[in-house]
Amino acid sequence: MAEGPDRIGPDMGPKRSLEDRARRIVRAVTTKNGLIGDYDYAFLFRPNLPFMTRVRKAAPFFGLHDPMPVLLALLLGFQHALAMLAGVITPPIILSGQGGANLTRDQQQYLVSTSLIVCGILSAIQITRFHIYKTPYYLGTGLISVVGTSFAVIPVATGAFAQMYKSGFCPSTADGTKLPCPDGYGAVIGTTTVCALLEIGLSFMPPALLKKFFPPLVTGPTVTLIGVNLIRTGFEGWAGGSGDCSARPTSGPFALCPSVAAPHPLPWGSAEFIGLGFSVFVTIIICERFGSPIMKSTAVVWGLLVGCIIAAATGYFDRAGIDSAPAASFIWVHTFKLSVYGPIVLPLLAVYIVLMMEAIGDITATCDVSRLQVDGKLFDSRIQGGVLADGLNGLLAGLCTITPMSTFAQNNGVIALTRCANRKAGYACCFFLLIMGIFSKFAAALVAIPAAVLGGMTTFLFSAVAVSGIRIISTVHFNRRSRFILTAAMSLGFGATLVPEWFAHVFTYTGGNQAKQGFFNAIVLVMETGFAITALLAIVLNLLLEDEIEEDEVASLSAAEAEVPELDGTGVRPVSMDKGRDIETGTRSKDASI
C-alpha cells in the first residue's frame, strides 16, 4: 500500500519552493474549494433517530497528504479536541484535589489549563515526525497520534500522596485534616521525569524485541488492573467525592461533601449525588444510540455538559473560583519544587512500560484506520518514533509541571468515523487545545464541576481503560501456560486492588533511619499497587516459563511418526494411530482400537 512522500530515506524528489507553498496557502484560504470544498457537512450532524431515513452513502476518505478544505480541517480538529477533552482534564483534577495533593484552587485551575496547553504542544510533536540528524531514527509518528495526560499514573500518585501524609512528608493539622502539599506534587512529577528515561531508552530497541519482552500477555492484565483501580476513584467521586468526606465523619469541615462550606453540601452517598452522576451516564448512552457521528465521538463531553446544566440549575456550582480566575494562563505560572520520591520509582517504571506498549498498539491502530502499512521498515520507524516521542513527552510534561502523557486511543475512533486521517485535522486539534488552556476561565469552570458529575463521566472513561485491557488479553492464545501466567499475575493484582491495605502492617520498623524507612515504603507501595505487582509477575513468568507443545502439534507429530512404507513386514497396511483410519483410503480399520 503506497504511503506517498513519507519515507525512511531522504526524499530525492523536487522540493517545493517558498513561492509555491505560499501560493498553495493563498489558494486554500481565498477560494471556495480551498475553504469549504464539496464535503457533505450534514453527515457529521445527522442524528440516528428511528423515524429518520438512514443515508448509506459513505463520506470521502482524506488520506495523510490529501488536499483538505480549511473549514473541514478546523471542524474535525475541534471534534478531536472534544473527544480527548475529558481524558485530558481528569488526571490533574483528581491529583490536585482532595484525593491527591489538596492543592489550592488557583493551583488546580493552573494545572487544568497547563494540561490542555502541554497536550496541544506535545501532540504537535507526535504528529509532525522529525528526522534525527545523521541517524536512522525519528521523533514522532507523522500521523494523527494525539497525546493526553495518562490515567495510568493516578493509582501510583494517589497511593504516594496517602503515604506522604501518613509519613509527615505532606502537612496535616492536629485533627488529621490534610493541608495543601505542593512539595509532594513536585516529588511526583520530578520522579516521573526521571523515570521517563526508561521509555526513551527502550524506543531504540527493535519493535520485535519489545513485543517479545512485553507481549499482550504482560500488558493486557496490567492495563485491566489500572482500569479496575481507577473505577474505584470514579465511583467515590460519583457518590460525592474521594477526599476526607467519603469517610462520613460526624463533625469537622468534611462532615458533608465536598465540604460544609460548599454551596449545596450533602452527606457522601446521598441520592442527589447519585442522580447527578446518572444524568451524565444516561446522556452518554443516549448519544451513542441516537447521536450524530460528531455526537457519538464526543458523547462523554455531552454527558458532562448535561450534568453541569442540571448541577447549575439545582445550586451545586460554586462561582467564586470562576470569578476570581485570571483571564489567561500559561506554563510555569505556578511552579513546584522537583525532587525524586524513591518509593514510587518501581511503580512508575511499570507505568512507562505500559505507556510504551499502549503507544505501540495505538500507533498500529492509527496506521490501520489511516489506510497505511502495518508492517515493514516504514511502519517500524513510526513505532520507534512514536515510542521515543511518548517517552520524551513524559519527560517534557514533568518539566512543564504535568504528569506523564500517553497516546490517546479514542481518537482512532474519530478517524474511522469521519474517514479523515489528514494531519491538518491533527494540527487544528492542537490549536483548539492551546486556546482552551490559555483562556483560564474555561479551566476554572472545569475545576468547579461537582465531584458527582465528574464521577459519572470518569467512571465511564475508567471502565473504557479496563475494557481496553480485556481487548488486549483477548489477542492472547489461550493454553495452559498463558492461563497460568494470567492467573498468577492477576490473583495478586486483584487482591491488592480490592484490599489495598493488605501489606501495610508487614514492616514494623519505627527507627530514625530515613533510608531504611524509605526502602520499606517503596516495597509497601509496590505491593499495594495492584497493576505494578501484576506487571512485574507477568514479565518474570513470561520469561521463565517455556512454551508448551500444543495438543494439535502432538497429534501432528504422532501422525508423522506413523507414516511408514505402504506395506510393512507382515503385508498389512498401516493404520493411523490417532484416528484409527487407513492412511491411504481414509476408512476405519476393523482392527483399530476405538
Side-chain angles (χ1 to χ4, degrees):
M1 188 181 296
E3 296 201 31
D6 199 359
R7 65 191 72 204
I8 293 292
D11 187 1
M12 303 305 293
K15 301 290 185 181
R16 289 195 184 99
S17 65
L18 291 177
E19 182 181 356
D20 183 42
R21 294 181 182 180
R23 191 181 301 114
R24 290 166 61 91
I25 294 173
V26 171
R27 190 183 305 120
V29 297
T30 57
T31 64
K32 179 182 178 182
N33 190 50
L35 280 172
I36 302 175
D38 56 356
Y39 186 79
D40 182 15
Y41 290 90
F43 162 77
L44 294 175
F45 300 95
R46 189 178 294 117
N48 183 23
L49 299 177
F51 55 83
M52 292 186 66
T53 304
R54 295 186 180 182
V55 179
R56 296 293 182 182
K57 184 180 70 172
F61 182 82
F62 291 93
L64 201 61
H65 305 285
D66 292 343
M68 186 177 183
V70 174
L71 178 61
L72 183 62
L74 292 173
L75 185 61
L76 296 183
F78 186 62
Q79 184 179 3
H80 275 285
L82 290 180
M84 60 189 298
L85 176 63
V88 170
I89 67 172
T90 298
I93 289 177
I94 291 177
L95 297 180
S96 63
Q98 292 182 10
N102 292 276
L103 300 180
T104 64
R105 180 186 294 167
D106 290 344
Q107 290 172 325
Q108 293 181 35
Q109 295 171 357
Y110 159 77
L111 288 178
V112 173
S113 287
T114 305
S115 181
L116 291 165
I117 294 170
V118 171
C119 288
I121 295 173
L122 299 185
S123 292
I125 294 176
Q126 273 284 30
I127 295 171
T128 302
R129 182 170 161 86
F130 301 92
H131 178 247
I132 301 176
Y133 184 62
K134 289 188 177 181
T135 71
Y137 300 111
Y138 283 80
L139 176 65
T141 64
L143 311 170
I144 306 183
S145 300
V146 294
V147 301
T149 322
S150 174
F151 291 158
V153 77
I154 294 177
V156 178
T158 52
F161 287 131
Q163 196 175 81
M164 289 175 185
Y165 279 108
K166 186 177 180 180
S167 65
F169 187 94
C170 289
S172 302
T173 61
D175 62 355
T177 302
K178 298 174 182 177
L179 298 176
C181 187
D183 287 349
Y185 183 80
V188 169
I189 60 175
T191 311
T192 61
T193 301
V194 174
C195 292
L197 297 174
L198 172 67
E199 187 175 3
I200 293 174
L202 291 175
S203 69
F204 297 103
M205 293 177 62
L209 198 59
L210 291 177
K211 292 178 182 179
K212 177 181 179 181
F213 285 105
F214 311 109
L217 189 60
V218 172
T219 57
T222 305
V223 175
T224 302
L225 263 296
I226 290 174
V228 171
N229 192 303
L230 290 171
I231 290 171
R232 181 181 61 183
T233 303
F235 242 47
E236 288 176 350
W238 190 334
S242 58
D244 294 335
C245 69
S246 61
R248 292 180 67 102
T250 57
S251 61
F254 298 106
L256 300 176
C257 287
S259 69
V260 294
H264 195 162
L266 293 168
W268 188 85
S270 296
E272 293 88 342
F273 287 148
I274 304 299
L276 279 176
F278 261 114
S279 69
V280 178
F281 199 81
V282 171
T283 302
I284 294 173
I285 297 174
I286 292 174
C287 286
E288 180 63 29
R289 173 59 183 88
F290 300 109
S292 63
I294 200 168
M295 285 187 69
K296 287 183 178 181
S297 61
T298 58
V300 174
V301 177
W302 288 103
L304 191 65
L305 180 61
V306 170
C308 288
I309 292 173
I310 296 173
T314 51
Y316 287 90
F317 259 98
D318 184 2
R319 287 197 48 175
I322 303 175
D323 295 336
S324 62
S329 179
F330 204 71
I331 305 170
W332 301 307
V333 170
H334 292 274
T335 57
F336 304 89
K337 185 176 70 175
L338 298 181
S339 62
V340 174
Y341 188 65
I344 60 173
V345 169
L346 286 178
L348 284 177
L349 292 178
V351 165
Y352 275 107
I353 290 174
V354 171
L355 296 183
M356 177 189 65
M357 298 311 299
E358 279 186 348
I360 293 175
D362 292 340
I363 294 166
T364 303
T366 305
C367 287
D368 185 40
V369 297
S370 301
R371 301 185 181 182
L372 302 175
Q373 294 177 354
V374 291
D375 55 18
K377 290 184 177 181
L378 181 54
F379 171 73
D380 287 346
S381 79
R382 292 194 192 279
I383 294 293
Q384 175 274 312
V387 173
L388 177 58
D390 203 58
L392 183 63
N393 286 346
L395 188 150
L396 294 176
L399 297 178
C400 293
T401 68
I402 294 298
T403 50
M405 299 284 121
S406 66
T407 306
F408 268 21
Q410 57 262 46
N411 292 76
N412 291 329
V414 178
I415 296 173
L417 194 65
T418 61
R419 299 168 62 83
C420 175
N422 197 287
R423 286 186 291 194
K424 294 184 181 68
Y427 289 126
C429 171
C430 299
F431 168 76
F432 284 115
L433 288 174
L434 283 170
I435 295 299
M436 292 177 188
I438 290 173
F439 292 100
S440 56
K441 292 287 186 182
F442 180 72
L446 295 174
V447 172
I449 295 175
V453 175
L454 198 65
M457 176 202 70
T458 55
T459 299
F460 183 86
L461 288 178
F462 296 158
S463 298
V465 176
V467 172
S468 296
I470 296 172
R471 182 192 62 81
I472 295 172
I473 294 175
S474 69
T475 65
V476 175
H477 174 63
F478 273 78
N479 54 22
R480 188 179 184 282
R481 176 182 180 272
S482 60
R483 286 195 298 268
F484 180 86
I485 293 175
L486 288 172
T487 302
M490 298 185 78
S491 59
L492 291 181
F494 272 118
T497 301
L498 297 174
V499 189
E501 300 292 328
W502 76 292
F503 211 79
H505 307 290
V506 172
F507 300 112
T508 58
Y509 178 75
T510 57
N513 190 327
Q514 294 296 321
K516 187 175 182 179
Q517 185 64 56
F519 176 70
F520 289 153
N521 289 342
I523 296 175
V524 170
L525 192 57
V526 170
M527 297 302 293
E528 291 183 353
T529 305
F531 77 86
I533 309 176
T534 296
L536 293 174
L537 194 54
I539 290 173
V540 172
L541 291 178
N542 181 60
L543 295 176
L544 288 181
L545 298 183
E546 296 180 350
D547 290 332
E548 294 183 348
I549 300 178
E550 301 292 335
E551 292 182 1
D552 54 349
E553 294 178 3
V554 174
S556 300
L557 288 173
S558 300
E561 292 171 357
E563 290 182 2
V564 292
E566 184 176 357
L567 293 176
D568 61 12
T570 62
V572 180
R573 277 186 198 278
V575 176
S576 173
M577 297 174 63
D578 59 328
K579 297 292 186 180
R581 295 180 182 275
D582 188 286
I583 289 180
E584 182 175 331
T585 64
T587 58
R588 183 173 294 279
S589 170
K590 294 181 181 179
D591 298 329
S593 59
I594 305 300

